[in-house]
mmCIF file with all atom_site columns, all heavy atoms in Angstrom:
data_model
loop_
_atom_site.group_PDB
_atom_site.id
_atom_site.type_symbol
_atom_site.label_atom_id
_atom_site.label_alt_id
_atom_site.label_comp_id
_atom_site.label_asym_id
_atom_site.label_entity_id
_atom_site.label_seq_id
_atom_site.pdbx_PDB_ins_code
_atom_site.Cartn_x
_atom_site.Cartn_y
_atom_site.Cartn_z
_atom_site.occupancy
_atom_site.B_iso_or_equiv
_atom_site.pdbx_formal_charge
_atom_site.auth_seq_id
_atom_site.auth_comp_id
_atom_site.auth_asym_id
_atom_site.auth_atom_id
_atom_site.pdbx_PDB_model_num
ATOM 1  N N   . ARG A 1 3  ? 71.811 91.227  60.593 1.00 97.00 ? 3  ARG A N   1
ATOM 2  C CA  . ARG A 1 3  ? 71.013 89.985  60.492 1.00 97.00 ? 3  ARG A CA  1
ATOM 3  C C   . ARG A 1 3  ? 71.060 89.177  61.753 1.00 97.00 ? 3  ARG A C   1
ATOM 4  O O   . ARG A 1 3  ? 70.318 88.188  61.868 1.00 97.00 ? 3  ARG A O   1
ATOM 5  C CB  . ARG A 1 3  ? 71.533 89.137  59.315 1.00 97.00 ? 3  ARG A CB  1
ATOM 6  C CG  . ARG A 1 3  ? 71.680 89.889  57.985 1.00 97.00 ? 3  ARG A CG  1
ATOM 7  C CD  . ARG A 1 3  ? 70.358 89.933  57.212 1.00 97.00 ? 3  ARG A CD  1
ATOM 8  N NE  . ARG A 1 3  ? 70.470 90.780  56.035 1.00 97.00 ? 3  ARG A NE  1
ATOM 9  C CZ  . ARG A 1 3  ? 70.913 90.367  54.856 1.00 97.00 ? 3  ARG A CZ  1
ATOM 10 N NH1 . ARG A 1 3  ? 71.348 89.165  54.671 1.00 97.00 ? 3  ARG A NH1 1
ATOM 11 N NH2 . ARG A 1 3  ? 70.969 91.214  53.855 1.00 97.00 ? 3  ARG A NH2 1
ATOM 12 N N   . LEU A 1 4  ? 71.951 89.480  62.686 1.00 97.00 ? 4  LEU A N   1
ATOM 13 C CA  . LEU A 1 4  ? 72.040 88.741  63.916 1.00 97.00 ? 4  LEU A CA  1
ATOM 14 C C   . LEU A 1 4  ? 70.848 89.124  64.822 1.00 97.00 ? 4  LEU A C   1
ATOM 15 O O   . LEU A 1 4  ? 70.663 90.300  65.106 1.00 97.00 ? 4  LEU A O   1
ATOM 16 C CB  . LEU A 1 4  ? 73.367 89.051  64.645 1.00 97.00 ? 4  LEU A CB  1
ATOM 17 C CG  . LEU A 1 4  ? 73.731 88.245  65.843 1.00 97.00 ? 4  LEU A CG  1
ATOM 18 C CD1 . LEU A 1 4  ? 73.947 86.778  65.455 1.00 97.00 ? 4  LEU A CD1 1
ATOM 19 C CD2 . LEU A 1 4  ? 75.015 88.801  66.480 1.00 97.00 ? 4  LEU A CD2 1
ATOM 20 N N   . PRO A 1 5  ? 70.061 88.160  65.228 1.00 97.00 ? 5  PRO A N   1
ATOM 21 C CA  . PRO A 1 5  ? 68.869 88.480  66.019 1.00 97.00 ? 5  PRO A CA  1
ATOM 22 C C   . PRO A 1 5  ? 69.233 88.898  67.440 1.00 97.00 ? 5  PRO A C   1
ATOM 23 O O   . PRO A 1 5  ? 70.314 88.577  67.948 1.00 97.00 ? 5  PRO A O   1
ATOM 24 C CB  . PRO A 1 5  ? 68.064 87.190  66.027 1.00 97.00 ? 5  PRO A CB  1
ATOM 25 C CG  . PRO A 1 5  ? 69.039 86.113  65.751 1.00 97.00 ? 5  PRO A CG  1
ATOM 26 C CD  . PRO A 1 5  ? 70.139 86.725  64.927 1.00 97.00 ? 5  PRO A CD  1
ATOM 27 N N   . GLY A 1 6  ? 68.309 89.600  68.062 1.00 97.00 ? 6  GLY A N   1
ATOM 28 C CA  . GLY A 1 6  ? 68.439 89.945  69.474 1.00 97.00 ? 6  GLY A CA  1
ATOM 29 C C   . GLY A 1 6  ? 69.325 91.121  69.820 1.00 97.00 ? 6  GLY A C   1
ATOM 30 O O   . GLY A 1 6  ? 69.704 91.323  70.997 1.00 97.00 ? 6  GLY A O   1
ATOM 31 N N   . LEU A 1 7  ? 69.686 91.916  68.836 1.00 98.00 ? 7  LEU A N   1
ATOM 32 C CA  . LEU A 1 7  ? 70.561 93.085  69.098 1.00 98.00 ? 7  LEU A CA  1
ATOM 33 C C   . LEU A 1 7  ? 69.727 94.234  69.686 1.00 98.00 ? 7  LEU A C   1
ATOM 34 O O   . LEU A 1 7  ? 68.586 94.425  69.307 1.00 98.00 ? 7  LEU A O   1
ATOM 35 C CB  . LEU A 1 7  ? 71.262 93.529  67.831 1.00 98.00 ? 7  LEU A CB  1
ATOM 36 C CG  . LEU A 1 7  ? 72.139 92.514  67.123 1.00 98.00 ? 7  LEU A CG  1
ATOM 37 C CD1 . LEU A 1 7  ? 72.703 93.130  65.841 1.00 98.00 ? 7  LEU A CD1 1
ATOM 38 C CD2 . LEU A 1 7  ? 73.275 92.051  68.012 1.00 98.00 ? 7  LEU A CD2 1
ATOM 39 N N   . SER A 1 8  ? 70.353 95.008  70.537 1.00 98.00 ? 8  SER A N   1
ATOM 40 C CA  . SER A 1 8  ? 69.701 96.228  71.028 1.00 98.00 ? 8  SER A CA  1
ATOM 41 C C   . SER A 1 8  ? 69.559 97.216  69.866 1.00 98.00 ? 8  SER A C   1
ATOM 42 O O   . SER A 1 8  ? 70.252 97.116  68.862 1.00 98.00 ? 8  SER A O   1
ATOM 43 C CB  . SER A 1 8  ? 70.514 96.857  72.146 1.00 98.00 ? 8  SER A CB  1
ATOM 44 O OG  . SER A 1 8  ? 71.716 97.438  71.598 1.00 98.00 ? 8  SER A OG  1
ATOM 45 N N   . LYS A 1 9  ? 68.641 98.161  70.036 1.00 98.00 ? 9  LYS A N   1
ATOM 46 C CA  . LYS A 1 9  ? 68.404 99.175  69.039 1.00 98.00 ? 9  LYS A CA  1
ATOM 47 C C   . LYS A 1 9  ? 69.697 99.962  68.718 1.00 98.00 ? 9  LYS A C   1
ATOM 48 O O   . LYS A 1 9  ? 70.045 100.172 67.569 1.00 98.00 ? 9  LYS A O   1
ATOM 49 C CB  . LYS A 1 9  ? 67.319 100.157 69.522 1.00 98.00 ? 9  LYS A CB  1
ATOM 50 C CG  . LYS A 1 9  ? 66.975 101.208 68.506 1.00 98.00 ? 9  LYS A CG  1
ATOM 51 C CD  . LYS A 1 9  ? 66.071 102.301 69.065 1.00 98.00 ? 9  LYS A CD  1
ATOM 52 C CE  . LYS A 1 9  ? 64.780 101.751 69.538 1.00 98.00 ? 9  LYS A CE  1
ATOM 53 N NZ  . LYS A 1 9  ? 63.801 102.821 69.901 1.00 98.00 ? 9  LYS A NZ  1
ATOM 54 N N   . ASN A 1 10 ? 70.459 100.317 69.767 1.00 98.00 ? 10 ASN A N   1
ATOM 55 C CA  . ASN A 1 10 ? 71.685 101.119 69.546 1.00 98.00 ? 10 ASN A CA  1
ATOM 56 C C   . ASN A 1 10 ? 72.763 100.316 68.884 1.00 98.00 ? 10 ASN A C   1
ATOM 57 O O   . ASN A 1 10 ? 73.499 100.820 68.011 1.00 98.00 ? 10 ASN A O   1
ATOM 58 C CB  . ASN A 1 10 ? 72.162 101.732 70.852 1.00 98.00 ? 10 ASN A CB  1
ATOM 59 C CG  . ASN A 1 10 ? 71.378 102.978 71.231 1.00 98.00 ? 10 ASN A CG  1
ATOM 60 O OD1 . ASN A 1 10 ? 70.529 103.446 70.487 1.00 98.00 ? 10 ASN A OD1 1
ATOM 61 N ND2 . ASN A 1 10 ? 71.670 103.514 72.401 1.00 98.00 ? 10 ASN A ND2 1
#
Side-chain angles (χ1 to χ4, degrees):
R3 309 274 174 87
L4 188 64
L7 301 177
S8 71
K9 183 189 299 189
N10 281 355

